[in-house]
Each structure stands twice: as structure tokens, then as C-alpha cells.
């Protein structure tokens, strides 16, 4: 595996909310039938985490697993651990119909933080930020770009394709400009 390269050079912006790139991170897309008997044990053995409920993300330390669809999960982990985790999944699911692929270099991860972080996303995404529960995952869009996002701590984590990372960062920084709050203080 090559050395990871940040999609945006660790770009950051401070407006009424803070926007920053938090990558590079390791990411594995896992596709399999949810009722595959070997799946929960295989995922637990390879990641130390259980499978999340529908539209949820589970996190322990520096690893997370997000539910992405009825037969898809996104495993987020330190970049250097991807190859070992893929090998563990392949071994545990040998002979079972599944797909586990390294998508680390195809994705960018951004954080929107602060008390008004939801205002930034309200301008770009049809997700009702006020109703988004902690650790609830949504596959949606930021303007016209596909993304996934979840609430975490005092903000949101957003994953998008690396090819549009600059565009998404521009959308987020423009949306976080001081004076453009949805509900002025």
C-alpha cells in the first residue's frame, strides 16, 4: 500500500462553524447479504466491531462501521490497517459470496464542527439536521454531489468521492461564511 496522501492537503476553514479535512483514513466497502451466517463473526474478528443497525454507525477507538444499505457497510479505520483487515475478512468469509474492497484513496473525509455546524449542512443537504440522531448515518447529497454524513460529537462527519473533494470543501466553506447563518444570533 502506498503512503496516504490527503485529498485537500488538510485544508481547514474557520467561519461560524469549522470545516476541515480529516483524512486520509482507511476505508473498506463491504458488500454481502445481511443474513449471511458468517458475516457478524467475520466482521467482529477483522475489526473488533459488531455490525451496526440500519442507518447507524458504531465506533470504538479509531475504527467505525457504518450501515450504507441493506447489503453494504463502510469500515473506517487507520490507513495502515486496511490490508490486514481485508485479509482477515477474506479469510473469515472464504467461500461466502461477498465483496470487500479498499476505497481509501477514492474517498475524502471532512468534519463540520461547532454549535452551528448543522446550519452549514442545512443549506446543502435535504437531511433534517435537527432530527438526525447521534450516530445516525444518511446517504444523501451536498448540493449535487453524493455523500454520506453522520452526527458525531459537536459536529458532523461527511464522506464524499475524492474527485469532488475540492468542490465539496468549497460548498462547505461558502456555507460557513460568517454572516450567512440561517438563524442569526
Amino acid at each position: 500500500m502506498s503512503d496516504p496522501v490527503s485529498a485537500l492537503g488538510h485544508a481547514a476553514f474557520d467561519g461560524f462553524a469549522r470545516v476541515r479535512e480529516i483524512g486520509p483514513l482507511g476505508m473498506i466497502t463491504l458488500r454481502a447479504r445481511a443474513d449471511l451466517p458468517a458475516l457478524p463473526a467475520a466482521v467482529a474478528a477483522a475489526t473488533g466491531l459488531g455490525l451496526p443497525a440500519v442507518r447507524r454507525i458504531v465506533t470504538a477507538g479509531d475504527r467505525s462501521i457504518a450501515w450504507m444499505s441493506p447489503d453494504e457497510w463502510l469500515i473506517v479505520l487507520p490507513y495502515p490497517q486496511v490490508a490486514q483487515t481485508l485479509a482477515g475478512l477474506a479469510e473469515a468469509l472464504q467461500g461466502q459470496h461477498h465483496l470487500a474492497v479498499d476505497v481509501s484513496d477514492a474517498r475524502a473525509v471532512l468534519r463540520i464542527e461547532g454549535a452551528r455546524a448543522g446550519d452549514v449542512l442545512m443549506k446543502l443537504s435535504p437531511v433534517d439536521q435537527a432530527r438526525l440522531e447521534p450516530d445516525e448515518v444518511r446517504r444523501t447529497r451536498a448540493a449535487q454531489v453524493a455523500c454520506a454524513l453522520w452526527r458525531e460529537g459537536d459536529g458532523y462527519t461527511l464522506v464524499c468521492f475524492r474527485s469532488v473533494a475540492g468542490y465539496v470543501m468549497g460548498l462547505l466553506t461558502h456555507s460557513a461564511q460568517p454572516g450567512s447563518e440561517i438563524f442569526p444570533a
Side-chain angles (χ1 to χ4, degrees):
M1 180 178 281
S2 63
D3 289 332
V5 176
S6 166
L8 300 171
H10 301 288
F13 174 80
D14 288 309
F16 68 81
R18 180 165 174 73
V19 179
R20 63 188 174 92
E21 179 191 19
I22 61 171
L25 293 174
M27 287 184 242
I28 297 169
T29 292
L30 175 62
R31 303 289 306 250
R33 285 188 8 234
D35 63 351
L36 187 67
L39 187 62
V43 169
T47 67
L49 296 169
L51 289 172
V54 172
R55 282 192 2 213
R56 297 290 172 188
I57 184 168
V58 294
T59 300
D62 56 5
R63 291 176 167 231
S64 298
I65 301 178
W67 180 94
M68 301 303 280
S69 74
D71 68 346
E72 181 181 359
W73 297 267
L74 179 66
I75 301 169
V76 182
L77 66 166
Y79 197 95
Q81 297 174 12
V82 170
Q84 177 184 352
T85 302
L86 281 170
L89 288 167
E91 182 179 336
L93 293 171
Q94 185 173 7
Q96 304 292 314
H97 184 71
H98 76 285
L99 171 72
V101 64
D102 178 0
V103 296
S104 307
D105 295 333
R107 305 286 188 269
V109 186
L110 304 167
R111 280 285 295 163
I112 306 95
E113 300 168 308
R116 312 238 20 201
D119 284 11
V120 174
L121 291 171
M122 280 187 218
K123 298 176 187 180
L124 304 172
S125 174
V127 174
D128 184 350
Q129 302 304 324
R131 297 182 64 128
L132 189 67
E133 298 175 11
D135 301 320
E136 181 180 356
V137 174
R138 290 293 179 92
R139 288 181 86 163
T140 185
R141 58 184 163 73
Q144 299 302 314
V145 176
C147 69
L149 59 88
W150 57 90
R151 178 182 262 167
E152 185 176 32
D154 72 339
Y156 300 83
T157 299
L158 184 146
V159 176
C160 65
F161 290 107
R162 183 184 185 99
S163 60
V164 295
Y167 172 72
V168 173
M169 183 68 171
L171 290 170
L172 294 170
T173 58
H174 184 76
S175 183
Q177 291 290 323
S180 70
E181 297 86 350
I182 292 176
F183 303 107

